[in-house]
Amino acid sequence: MQNRTHNNGELRLVNVGQTVELKGWVAKSRNKGGIVFIDLRDRYGITQLVVNAETADAAILETATKVRNEFVIYVKGKVIERVSKNPNMATGDVEIDVTDLQIISESETTPIIVAEETDALEDTRLKYRYLDLRRPNMQRNIITRHKVVQTIRGYLNRHDYIDIETPMLNKSTPEGARDYLVPSRVHPGEFYALPQSPQIFKQLCMVSGFEKYYQIARCFRDEDLRADRQPEFTQIDIEQSFATQEEILTMTEEMLTEVVKEVKGIEIERPFRRFTYDDAMERFGSDKPDTRFEMEIKTLNEVFKESGFGVFKGTIEKGGSVRAINVKGAADKYSRKNIDALTDFVKKYKAKGLAWLKFTDGDFAGPIAKFFGDEEKANLQNAMSVEDNDLLLFVADKYSVTCDALGALRSKLGKDLELYDPNELDFLWVVDWPLFEYDEEDGRYYAAHHPFTRPNEETREYLTTEPGKCKASAYDVVLNGYELGGGSLRIHERNLQNEMFKALGFSEEEAYEQFGFLLDAFKYGTPPHGGIALGIDRIAMILVGATNLREVIAFPKTASASDPMTDAPGVVSEKQLDELNIQLKK
Amino acid sequence: MQNRTHNNGELRLVNVGQTVELKGWVAKSRNKGGIVFIDLRDRYGITQLVVNAETADAAILETATKVRNEFVIYVKGKVIERVSKNPNMATGDVEIDVTDLQIISESETTPIIVAEETDALEDTRLKYRYLDLRRPNMQRNIITRHKVVQTIRGYLNRHDYIDIETPMLNKSTPEGARDYLVPSRVHPGEFYALPQSPQIFKQLCMVSGFEKYYQIARCFRDEDLRADRQPEFTQIDIEQSFATQEEILTMTEEMLTEVVKEVKGIEIERPFRRFTYDDAMERFGSDKPDTRFEMEIKTLNEVFKESGFGVFKGTIEKGGSVRAINVKGAADKYSRKNIDALTDFVKKYKAKGLAWLKFTDGDFAGPIAKFFGDEEKANLQNAMSVEDNDLLLFVADKYSVTCDALGALRSKLGKDLELYDPNELDFLWVVDWPLFEYDEEDGRYYAAHHPFTRPNEETREYLTTEPGKCKASAYDVVLNGYELGGGSLRIHERNLQNEMFKALGFSEEEAYEQFGFLLDAFKYGTPPHGGIALGIDRIAMILVGATNLREVIAFPKTASASDPMTDAPGVVSEKQLDELNIQLKK
């Protein structure tokens, strides 16, 4: 048996008359009036093979009759022009008149069908992942992911960033999400932690003077999983010295533009639009707004401050907000029952209820319509640009609750009502994030990102006096309502860092206990630096048009962080635990 | 403060007259007759700054006098031609006449000196790794490593290999080295294992039809460490379907040739020389022979089978071997005391002793010389090509002991006597490895590599009858006596796999218990496949001329698998252990 001369995606009319050798998987075979047709598949495509009972060698015909789906075969034959061409196949103008055919490897009937679409259950797909990955769309997804990573690397290499590997066996830190731990055999009673991100190491690379660092880094978080979370995930991690925020944003935009160009052949517009965090929350109720459709949230406190509707007036008097979205032209699409379902939906986001009004035949209708006078109605109509058949949905609550509830509702309606082209790619920045979050229970401020995030120049003066006013030099890049990632400039001056710790209520000793070696490092000439980290899995997921990360991860875990194929995690021997000086808890 | 206009490695005579802005670290500053000279360093190089007391602004002069080593500064000035040029510096023709100078970040006195060479202890270097990495040679090492990885990726991308990430959280398997374990929180009592290699996943990628896979993969082994071992290491992992051994070897050679060309600017010769495993053991006593120098091991059983020296004769009669190396022209360099030290050395490799003869003034001398007759001496002289002042060193023992002891001794002498150019790069293949290793204690064969390694065509017939005769389609690539890595063709046929398990003494049930999901996968059309894995750390180490992996790993671990900088591993909270359902052993 020889090497193949071609792959299964490349033969064209120009090859007619050539003798070729191919290898691959049987995607389909059928016997049609004494002629056996076989679709031969590999990573590159499908080629049609023909074994004619009247002209073919008896042994070859017998083999051809024997092959079944997913057999691996070798074939030799002459390229001929097809009588009835298939314009849907790249190789559809030709077929192979088979002169030799050998079975390389047989296949039992596969538990999932190897085809573009599948109706197999998620668990079956994961148990037989090696077959699921044979499906052409999964092959395309994984190859697209490869291209995403290569394009990112190519961009960064060209721009003088150095790929530096940082350790996986690290020290557990009390901040952040839950760590995956690794018991140490050599140091009884001690543990490594798998990295949640290479944050501290990339900052140390800046202290080391590498100036431009990157890494495609595997990261780990032991948290309960959702569709867009996996216990291990991959991020492109970048850090740069002597760079301004503007330079980091531009670099990121250039890099992502190159990725989209390479993967989708689309030129996206730069610069990306920017929203301040406050603006994003005000208009879209989200720190990762989906701006592919309008339906912006409006604050109606001015309209309702003297409202006849007590709930609205009372909320405003107590310092809350009345906010609403206008579902344009949808009044007739939503029955009371539908709206009840939406009410249940917003309650998940802590809203106490969902008030509504329909505007039909020139007037508002709905259970609360009677509370509003003419002027109030006119103001509302004006504020919300109300037209015939519009549906208004209101949440009256604490400002943050109105944002969360209406933001989520807006996203849901945008999707339900198909208000956007799912193929559109809508990149944007969210900037000027709060530097601190105030925790009412603990009565203190926490770092919104981490304590090395830099306050921006405009609000730095409030650091020790009114921390709540401080904005960070931090930025998130958002695509179609998904956070792709984010970053910040870091603090590199000791006095500023001390002020930051003071604002967080840390004594110098406490600060040192938690971040000692990084603070030590900062003593020896630290350049200004900043960076960004973007989720590779998520970028790939959106670019292939999937809604689950498992579609772009070759061997992902289930929602319970297990792998049905290998049965990981599993029980280990007593001897292994003994060596690690640990035992199971009774 | 503006962005810099140039880096510190690029200014030349052609820039004279330009006003430039630079940033970087103070590498050195000195006040010489009222003129302050500062060497400004960054990743790209060093530029000399000049602040002249007579012409400079007073404030600038004051700042210039204040800066100390490792301060980060900003400087603006005019490029001028140096009076006394420095031909050892890329920028040595010019200097900067400073018109503005600002301190960006101060530095305390560094605990290690940031210079090309260091005499700091290993532990100090690791504790202050961020400073150690500032040293120009460490910068070069890490950048060289980056180039190695990028060149490998470039080669593989161009040749259509797909970068596929495989999981880090896997299942522990009883075979192989000791696993690092990760307790599962969601599945109490169960554990993940960090991968020792992506072996099984890369084979599954072949079952999936990806045809050409690669990954720069982090791997883990919880073993006691040596200079060339780290608990986590990085390998370039490659697997390919429908490929012959010859194709995999050629691909590897092309890839490594490209790496050497890129990193060292040297064109290495292809194809690499090949040694069978048996030949390598016979001639060099090693499965990773260093062939930069000769001093081959000779078997002298023919010469000594009737020897007057009872030890030699007796060893041969009992089925052992008498083997020797000739240390050319070194008789006068080795005193009895020196040779006693060599005897102690070979005893570490289980040799019972080291016999020796010197050839001076036309005759053999030494304590055993008296046992040999004239004919025996003549035969020995002939067999070992003995000339005046040669030193012969003998080991009489089991064949395997003679290989280990003389192989190690040969390497030591080659180094001690400087028998090779340390800059030479000597690549070679070791092929035709044994498929099995016989364990005398257990009285059974074990797979020498793993049970999916393919026997070669010539010896396949002995698989179930005389397994000891079977050779594997396995290959190692060796550079300067270091194993860079290796691989094999794999078994893809079920009947061959069953024979293999039979040879290993596994019942079908036992085989399934250990390798179930891979055997399942092989039921559904498996292409012939094979691959290779090479250690990135080791390649980089040899190419930068280092002898310790820590010189090419940014943040390595000590020999006790700890990190003096971050203090990893560390103690974790009871709460963390509780969540993982484990406790420390009392």
Side-chain angles (χ1 to χ4, degrees):
Chain A
M1 199 182 307
Q2 301 295 310
N3 280 353
R4 54 190 170 179
T5 57
H6 293 78
N7 66 49
N8 290 313
E10 62 180 321
L11 293 174
R12 298 287 184 277
L13 277 178
V14 71
N15 303 102
V16 166
Q18 293 176 6
T19 295
V20 297
E21 291 168 274
L22 304 174
K23 291 178 181 177
W25 285 259
V26 174
K28 201 162 72 180
S29 74
R30 58 204 183 284
N31 195 321
K32 203 170 138 189
I35 304 178
V36 182
F37 292 94
I38 296 172
D39 278 0
L40 189 65
R41 187 195 67 233
D42 63 16
R43 179 182 131 191
Y44 303 91
I46 286 179
T47 300
Q48 179 164 291
L49 315 177
V50 187
V51 183
N52 194 323
E54 288 183 17
T55 56
D57 186 282
I60 290 174
L61 186 65
E62 197 195 323
T63 308
T65 320
K66 218 164 62 186
V67 301
R68 298 172 56 201
N69 283 359
E70 301 309 317
F71 275 38
V72 181
I73 62 172
Y74 158 85
V75 70
K76 187 173 181 174
K78 195 182 261 187
V79 183
I80 55 176
E81 185 170 355
R82 277 208 213 180
V83 179
S84 54
K85 302 194 167 55
N86 181 348
N88 300 319
M89 268 171 76
T91 63
D93 288 347
V94 298
E95 58 193 11
I96 310 300
D97 184 18
V98 174
T99 57
D100 190 8
L101 193 160
Q102 295 176 42
I103 293 170
I104 296 175
S105 176
E106 302 194 351
S107 174
E108 295 184 6
T109 303
T110 53
I112 62 174
I113 295 166
V114 178
E116 193 72 29
E117 298 299 326
T118 184
D119 56 2
L121 295 175
E122 184 79 28
D123 257 23
T124 310
R125 289 181 57 199
L126 291 182
K127 184 168 169 60
Y128 300 99
R129 188 61 162 181
Y130 42 86
L131 296 175
D132 191 43
L133 287 172
R134 262 188 214 168
R135 298 191 303 112
N137 53 347
M138 287 305 289
Q139 295 255 319
R140 283 198 304 275
N141 287 1
I142 299 297
I143 292 172
T144 296
R145 182 194 173 109
H146 162 78
K147 279 189 196 159
V148 168
V149 172
Q150 296 323 315
T151 309
I152 287 173
R153 287 185 178 280
Y155 176 85
L156 294 170
N157 292 341
R158 278 202 324 280
H159 288 82
D160 229 10
Y161 291 80
I162 309 172
D163 180 4
I164 300 178
E165 292 187 66
T166 58
M168 291 282 184
L169 297 173
N170 296 327
K171 193 171 177 182
S172 184
T173 52
E175 303 281 301
R178 197 184 287 111
D179 282 326
Y180 277 105
L181 297 182
V182 182
S184 163
R185 176 178 59 85
V186 184
H187 305 274
E190 299 192 346
F191 293 79
Y192 303 97
L194 300 179
Q196 296 184 23
S197 92
Q199 181 64 35
I200 285 182
F201 287 102
K202 72 177 179 172
Q203 291 195 244
L204 289 173
C205 283
M206 296 303 101
V207 177
S208 297
F210 284 111
E211 298 192 31
K212 289 172 145 189
Y213 144 97
Y214 84 92
Q215 185 180 198
I216 307 276
R218 196 75 62 88
C219 303
F220 302 83
R221 281 182 205 173
D222 187 8
E223 297 295 341
D224 297 320
L225 307 179
R226 304 194 308 250
D228 64 344
R229 285 274 171 85
Q230 281 277 318
E232 43 183 310
F233 56 98
T234 304
Q235 68 184 32
I236 167 66
D237 196 54
I238 300 171
E239 193 82 6
Q240 187 167 349
S241 294
F242 306 119
T244 60
Q245 174 168 327
E246 214 51 51
E247 287 172 309
I248 294 172
L249 265 48
T250 302
M251 175 275 293
T252 307
E253 292 185 1
E254 284 180 3
M255 183 176 78
L256 287 170
T257 305
E258 221 169 280
V259 167
V260 173
K261 174 88 182 160
E262 177 65 27
V263 168
K264 310 277 280 186
I266 298 170
E267 203 73 62
I268 52 176
E269 257 181 73
R270 291 202 301 119
F272 298 171
R273 283 172 307 145
R274 294 188 194 177
F275 297 84
T276 65
Y277 173 88
D278 289 343
D279 196 28
M281 295 307 283
E282 173 68 19
R283 292 166 59 190
F284 306 99
S286 171
D287 56 15
K288 39 182 191 286
D290 189 342
T291 59
R292 287 175 297 177
F293 61 101
E294 298 200 348
M295 206 194 287
E296 293 193 13
I297 302 167
K298 304 281 180 195
T299 298
L300 301 168
N301 287 20
E302 274 307 307
V303 174
F304 292 127
K305 65 184 172 195
E306 300 297 340
S307 181
F309 183 40
V311 173
F312 284 3
K313 190 175 175 214
T315 299
I316 295 166
E317 282 171 355
K318 278 183 290 182
S321 299
V322 179
R323 311 222 305 141
I325 51 176
N326 181 351
V327 193
K328 299 295 293 179
D332 57 357
K333 289 185 191 145
Y334 283 86
S335 65
R336 262 177 200 251
K337 207 176 137 196
N338 296 146
I339 295 174
D340 286 348
L342 298 181
T343 306
D344 290 342
F345 178 83
V346 294
K347 282 182 175 167
K348 284 189 273 180
Y349 297 87
K350 297 194 180 155
K352 287 185 287 289
L354 185 70
W356 59 273
L357 287 173
K358 289 180 176 178
F359 191 77
T360 33
D361 303 327
D363 198 7
F364 286 105
I368 63 167
K370 59 186 174 213
F371 297 112
F372 304 110
D374 285 347
E375 196 190 331
E376 204 170 354
K377 283 183 186 173
N379 287 342
L380 176 62
Q381 192 176 351
N382 189 39
M384 298 295 297
S385 310
V386 176
E387 294 169 308
D388 198 50
N389 201 29
D390 285 358
L391 168 66
L392 300 185
L393 299 170
F394 301 84
V395 172
D397 219 308
K398 276 200 309 188
Y399 182 75
S400 62
V401 172
T402 65
C403 290
D404 292 351
L406 287 172
L409 183 62
R410 178 181 172 277
S411 292
K412 177 184 167 49
L413 292 170
K415 193 179 167 199
D416 290 353
L417 296 168
E418 298 179 358
L419 297 183
Y420 49 83
D421 172 2
N423 291 317
E424 193 187 334
L425 295 175
D426 177 41
F427 286 92
L428 59 88
W429 289 105
V430 175
V431 297
D432 294 344
W433 288 69
L435 186 62
F436 299 100
E437 279 166 3
Y438 190 74
D439 187 298
E440 304 207 344
E441 262 179 50
D442 297 1
R444 57 160 276 208
Y445 284 101
Y446 281 93
H449 192 42
H450 57 61
F452 302 98
T453 306
R454 191 176 186 77
N456 71 13
E457 293 308 312
E458 295 75 29
T459 62
R460 180 176 159 172
E461 58 182 305
Y462 303 112
L463 192 53
T464 46
T465 52
E466 294 174 84
K469 274 196 179 176
C470 281
K471 299 294 181 187
S473 288
Y475 31 82
D476 268 15
V477 62
V478 173
L479 171 56
N480 293 1
Y482 286 96
E483 179 208 331
L484 291 189
S488 66
L489 299 186
R490 329 294 181 188
I491 299 173
H492 66 277
E493 309 94 324
R494 300 195 61 193
N495 52 350
L496 184 57
Q497 189 66 60
N498 285 336
E499 283 180 20
M500 182 73 184
F501 283 132
K502 202 178 287 173
L504 291 168
F506 287 5
S507 71
E508 251 179 71
E509 291 70 35
E510 286 167 331
Y512 194 81
E513 203 173 301
Q514 277 203 45
F515 306 102
F517 67 95
L518 190 55
L519 294 177
D520 277 347
F522 281 5
K523 287 182 197 165
Y524 302 110
T526 306
H529 60 287
I532 193 164
L534 307 173
I536 294 288
D537 311 290
R538 216 174 270 183
I539 294 173
M541 178 184 86
I542 299 171
L543 292 183
V544 305
T547 52
N548 191 312
L549 293 173
R550 288 193 279 270
E551 302 299 312
V552 293
I553 297 175
F555 301 99
K557 298 285 192 294
T558 64
S560 71
S562 61
D563 177 358
M565 181 178 69
T566 62
D567 258 345
V571 172
V572 299
S573 69
E574 277 302 316
K575 178 166 169 283
Q576 285 174 288
L577 297 184
D578 280 350
E579 286 182 322
L580 298 174
N581 303 289
I582 59 170
Q583 58 192 11
L584 301 182
K585 205 137 188 149
K586 306 296 177 252
Chain B
M1 201 182 305
Q2 300 294 311
N3 279 353
R4 56 190 167 177
T5 57
H6 293 77
N7 66 47
N8 289 314
E10 62 181 322
L11 293 174
R12 298 287 183 277
L13 277 179
V14 72
N15 302 103
V16 166
Q18 292 176 8
T19 296
V20 297
E21 291 167 275
L22 304 174
K23 292 178 180 177
W25 284 259
V26 174
K28 202 162 71 182
S29 74
R30 59 204 182 284
N31 195 321
K32 205 169 136 189
I35 304 177
V36 182
F37 291 94
I38 297 172
D39 279 359
L40 188 65
R41 187 195 67 231
D42 64 14
R43 179 181 131 192
Y44 302 91
I46 288 179
T47 301
Q48 179 165 291
L49 315 178
V50 187
V51 183
N52 195 323
E54 290 182 14
T55 55
D57 186 281
I60 290 173
L61 185 66
E62 195 195 325
T63 309
T65 320
K66 218 163 63 186
V67 301
R68 297 173 56 202
N69 283 0
E70 301 310 317
F71 274 36
V72 182
I73 61 172
Y74 158 86
V75 70
K76 188 173 179 174
K78 194 182 261 188
V79 183
I80 56 177
E81 186 170 354
R82 278 208 211 179
V83 179
S84 54
K85 301 195 167 53
N86 181 347
N88 300 319
M89 268 171 78
T91 62
D93 288 346
V94 298
E95 58 193 11
I96 310 299
D97 185 18
V98 175
T99 58
D100 190 9
L101 194 160
Q102 296 175 42
I103 294 169
I104 297 175
S105 176
E106 303 193 351
S107 173
E108 296 183 4
T109 302
T110 53
I112 61 175
I113 295 166
V114 178
E116 193 71 31
E117 298 299 325
T118 184
D119 55 3
L121 294 176
E122 185 79 28
D123 257 23
T124 310
R125 289 181 57 199
L126 292 181
K127 184 168 171 61
Y128 300 99
R129 188 61 161 182
Y130 41 86
L131 295 175
D132 191 43
L133 288 171
R134 263 188 214 169
R135 296 191 303 113
N137 55 345
M138 288 305 289
Q139 295 254 321
R140 282 197 306 274
N141 286 1
I142 299 297
I143 291 172
T144 295
R145 183 194 173 108
H146 162 78
K147 279 190 195 159
V148 168
V149 172
Q150 295 323 315
T151 309
I152 287 173
R153 288 186 178 279
Y155 176 85
L156 294 169
N157 292 342
R158 277 202 324 279
H159 289 82
D160 229 9
Y161 291 79
I162 309 171
D163 180 5
I164 300 178
E165 291 188 67
T166 58
M168 290 282 184
L169 296 173
N170 296 328
K171 194 173 176 180
S172 184
T173 53
E175 302 282 301
R178 197 184 288 111
D179 282 326
Y180 276 105
L181 297 182
V182 182
S184 163
R185 177 179 56 88
V186 184
H187 304 275
E190 299 191 347
F191 293 78
Y192 304 96
L194 299 179
Q196 296 184 23
S197 92
Q199 181 65 34
I200 284 181
F201 286 102
K202 72 177 179 172
Q203 292 195 243
L204 290 172
C205 282
M206 296 303 101
V207 177
S208 296
F210 284 111
E211 299 191 30
K212 287 172 146 189
Y213 145 97
Y214 84 92
Q215 186 180 198
I216 307 276
R218 196 75 62 88
C219 304
F220 302 83
R221 279 181 206 173
D222 187 8
E223 298 293 342
D224 298 318
L225 307 179
R226 303 193 311 249
D228 64 345
R229 286 274 170 85
Q230 279 278 317
E232 44 183 311
F233 56 98
T234 304
Q235 67 184 33
I236 168 66
D237 196 54
I238 300 172
E239 193 81 7
Q240 186 166 350
S241 294
F242 306 120
T244 60
Q245 173 168 329
E246 213 51 51
E247 287 171 310
I248 294 173
L249 266 48
T250 302
M251 174 276 292
T252 308
E253 292 185 0
E254 284 179 3
M255 184 174 76
L256 287 171
T257 304
E258 221 169 280
V259 167
V260 173
K261 174 87 182 164
E262 177 64 28
V263 168
K264 309 277 280 186
I266 298 170
E267 203 71 64
I268 53 176
E269 256 181 73
R270 291 202 301 119
F272 299 170
R273 281 171 310 147
R274 295 188 194 176
F275 296 85
T276 65
Y277 172 88
D278 289 344
D279 197 28
M281 295 307 283
E282 174 67 19
R283 293 167 57 192
F284 306 98
S286 171
D287 55 15
K288 39 184 192 288
D290 187 343
T291 59
R292 288 176 296 177
F293 61 101
E294 298 200 347
M295 206 196 284
E296 293 193 14
I297 302 167
K298 303 283 180 193
T299 298
L300 301 167
N301 287 21
E302 274 306 307
V303 174
F304 292 126
K305 67 184 171 193
E306 300 297 340
S307 181
F309 183 40
V311 174
F312 284 3
K313 190 176 175 214
T315 299
I316 296 166
E317 280 171 357
K318 278 182 287 180
S321 299
V322 178
R323 312 223 302 141
I325 51 176
N326 181 353
V327 194
K328 298 297 291 180
D332 58 358
K333 289 186 193 145
Y334 284 85
S335 66
R336 261 178 201 250
K337 207 177 138 196
N338 296 146
I339 295 175
D340 285 347
L342 298 181
T343 306
D344 290 341
F345 178 82
V346 296
K347 282 181 176 168
K348 285 189 273 181
Y349 298 87
K350 296 191 179 155
K352 285 185 288 287
L354 184 72
W356 59 273
L357 287 172
K358 289 180 178 179
F359 192 78
T360 33
D361 304 327
D363 198 6
F364 287 104
I368 64 167
K370 60 186 176 215
F371 297 112
F372 305 109
D374 285 346
E375 196 190 331
E376 203 170 354
K377 285 185 186 171
N379 289 341
L380 175 62
Q381 192 177 352
N382 190 38
M384 298 295 296
S385 309
V386 176
E387 295 169 309
D388 198 49
N389 201 29
D390 284 357
L391 168 67
L392 300 185
L393 298 170
F394 301 84
V395 172
D397 219 307
K398 276 200 309 188
Y399 182 76
S400 62
V401 172
T402 65
C403 290
D404 291 351
L406 287 172
L409 183 61
R410 179 182 171 276
S411 293
K412 177 184 167 47
L413 293 170
K415 194 178 166 201
D416 290 352
L417 296 167
E418 298 179 359
L419 298 182
Y420 50 83
D421 172 2
N423 291 315
E424 192 186 334
L425 295 175
D426 177 40
F427 286 92
L428 59 88
W429 288 105
V430 175
V431 298
D432 295 345
W433 287 70
L435 187 61
F436 299 100
E437 278 167 3
Y438 189 74
D439 186 298
E440 303 207 344
E441 262 179 48
D442 298 0
R444 56 161 277 209
Y445 284 101
Y446 281 92
H449 192 42
H450 58 62
F452 301 98
T453 306
R454 192 175 187 78
N456 71 12
E457 292 308 313
E458 295 74 29
T459 60
R460 180 177 160 171
E461 58 182 304
Y462 303 112
L463 191 53
T464 47
T465 52
E466 294 173 84
K469 274 196 178 176
C470 279
K471 299 293 181 188
S473 289
Y475 31 82
D476 267 16
V477 62
V478 173
L479 171 55
N480 293 0
Y482 287 96
E483 178 208 330
L484 290 189
S488 67
L489 299 185
R490 329 296 181 187
I491 298 173
H492 65 277
E493 309 95 324
R494 299 193 62 193
N495 52 350
L496 184 56
Q497 190 65 60
N498 286 337
E499 284 180 19
M500 182 72 185
F501 283 132
K502 201 177 288 173
L504 290 169
F506 287 4
S507 71
E508 252 178 70
E509 290 72 34
E510 287 167 330
Y512 193 80
E513 203 172 303
Q514 277 203 44
F515 306 103
F517 67 95
L518 189 56
L519 294 176
D520 277 348
F522 282 5
K523 285 183 197 165
Y524 302 111
T526 306
H529 59 287
I532 194 164
L534 308 173
I536 294 288
D537 310 291
R538 216 173 272 182
I539 295 173
M541 178 184 85
I542 300 171
L543 292 184
V544 304
T547 53
N548 192 311
L549 293 172
R550 288 193 278 270
E551 302 299 313
V552 293
I553 297 175
F555 301 99
K557 298 284 192 293
T558 64
S560 71
S562 61
D563 177 359
M565 181 178 68
T566 63
D567 257 344
V571 172
V572 299
S573 69
E574 277 301 317
K575 179 165 170 281
Q576 284 174 290
L577 298 184
D578 280 351
E579 286 182 323
L580 298 174
N581 303 287
I582 58 171
Q583 58 192 8
L584 301 181
K585 205 136 189 148
K586 307 294 178 252

